[in-house]
Amino acid sequence: MPADSTDSVEVIEAATEEAIGWAPLGNRRDIGRAVESARNALDRGPWGRMSATDRASLMLDFAGVYELARLGSTTQPSTPVRRSVG
């Protein structure tokens, strides 16, 4: 769904302080739609129907993938995880 806001902010690479692109800025309406969508997904999607144990297991899996990506990260924010991990 396209954003309501047309505002954006310049994205700066922290390691080099170089401008690397632009990111959209949301407004109140965008935030409201995001919250509504998240609530709907929780109430009607598989996450809300999972047990706490299953959700915890998925979060631990995600944390492992995130840690691998962090350890193998590059200064190129668009580098896919599978390439940056090796």
Side-chain angles (χ1 to χ4, degrees), residues 9-30:
V9 63
E10 192 171 31
V11 177
I12 306 296
E13 168 58 51
T16 64
E17 297 185 359
E18 175 184 353
I20 58 172
W22 293 87
L25 286 177
N27 59 22
R28 283 184 176 275
R29 185 172 180 193
D30 293 324

Side-chain angles (χ1 to χ4, degrees), residues 46-58:
W47 187 261
R49 292 190 302 269
M50 282 183 193
S51 69
T53 302
D54 289 343
R55 287 194 302 263
S57 178
L58 280 174

